[in-house]
Amino acid sequence: MSQRSTVRRLMLEYGRTHAAEAGIRLRNTPAPLYQLLTLCVLFSVRIKADIAVAAARELFAAGMRTPRAMAQASWQSRVDALGRAHYRRYDEGTATALGAGAGLVVDRYGGDLRRLREAGDGDPGRLRELLQEVPRIGPVGADIFCREAQGVWPELRPAFDARARHAAAELGLPSTPEGLARLVAADDLPKLAAALVRVELSRAADDLRAAA
């Protein structure tokens, strides 16, 4: 199987971003960017991806789709939404982190993460640093945000974290972000990155290698 054939199969079987799963129509506008940040907070603990996605959906369904709405919601409302998604063990701490993070986004960036982007001044490393100032967002959460947001923030391209690069190498694909970026159109970079991470996490690489 050629590299491009492998990529096509990857995209077909695994190329759905976490934002899409959570019902986020990602655009360079305040609400969806904040919803992506919320999703990254939810992913920043040891919990199954489907539960984190379900928790995001519950928070958004309860009206917590903007930083102001999240900050104004009661702590118990956040806990209850997380509980409906079976986001156990971490629900109370995450509810606190979501409230504090929403307050930070409102106070520092006027509720608009595009201002965080401006503060990053086109430097992906600086953007990651600023993202990690949000409570509960660490290197993994920042990687997820950049991986998904590269579709709307071109300065992040190509964003392939260590897990994606490891999966790519296992599949006989380029193991550098630049090499992987040459295999797809720019708009498809988030989907390819998501597909590689899914393969790495699900240990599906063996099936794809057998077909290569």
Side-chain angles (χ1 to χ4, degrees):
M1 187 182 292
S2 70
Q3 290 185 344
R4 291 192 181 277
S5 295
T6 299
V7 167
R8 282 195 294 271
R9 184 175 174 189
L10 271 171
M11 299 279 280
L12 180 64
E13 296 187 21
Y14 303 102
R16 192 177 188 205
T17 65
H18 290 308
E21 279 195 326
I24 302 168
R25 299 182 65 180
L26 195 56
R27 300 183 302 279
N28 188 32
T29 54
L33 288 170
Y34 174 70
Q35 290 161 23
L36 174 60
L37 186 72
T38 297
L39 185 59
C40 293
V41 171
L42 296 169
F43 268 110
S44 293
V45 297
R46 297 178 64 85
I47 201 159
K48 291 181 178 179
D50 58 341
I51 293 178
V53 168
R57 285 183 168 274
E58 287 291 344
L59 288 164
F60 303 154
M64 290 171 258
R65 294 183 290 271
T66 68
R68 287 185 173 83
M70 184 71 76
Q72 291 170 1
S74 69
W75 177 83
Q76 189 62 54
S77 295
R78 295 193 290 270
V79 169
D80 290 346
L82 295 172
R84 290 193 293 273
H86 307 289
Y87 194 96
R88 306 299 186 196
R89 292 179 57 198
Y90 306 103
D91 53 348
E92 295 186 355
T94 299
T96 299
L98 287 168
L104 182 148
V105 173
V106 170
D107 294 342
R108 188 173 301 177
Y109 302 114
D112 188 347
L113 288 173
R114 292 176 299 184
R115 295 183 182 177
L116 180 148
R117 181 188 185 188
E118 292 172 2
D121 196 27
D123 180 352
R126 179 59 180 152
L127 276 172
R128 284 179 166 83
E129 291 174 358
L130 292 171
L131 286 166
Q132 290 179 68
E133 293 177 0
V134 176
R136 191 64 72 80
I137 296 285
V140 172
D143 280 344
I144 294 171
F145 187 95
C146 293
R147 191 174 76 216
E148 303 250 338
Q150 66 181 315
V152 293
W153 289 0
E155 66 270 27
L156 295 173
R157 301 173 188 163
F160 292 90
D161 59 25
R163 290 177 297 183
R165 297 195 303 272
H166 181 264
E170 289 286 296
L171 295 170
L173 298 174
S175 58
T176 65
E178 294 76 17
L180 289 165
R182 287 193 288 269
L183 296 175
V184 296
D187 288 347
D188 284 332
L189 287 171
K191 294 179 182 178
L192 177 57
L196 288 167
V197 170
R198 288 180 189 280
V199 167
E200 177 74 1
L201 294 180
S202 67
R203 301 185 181 275
D206 288 342
D207 293 338
L208 283 163
R209 281 198 298 269

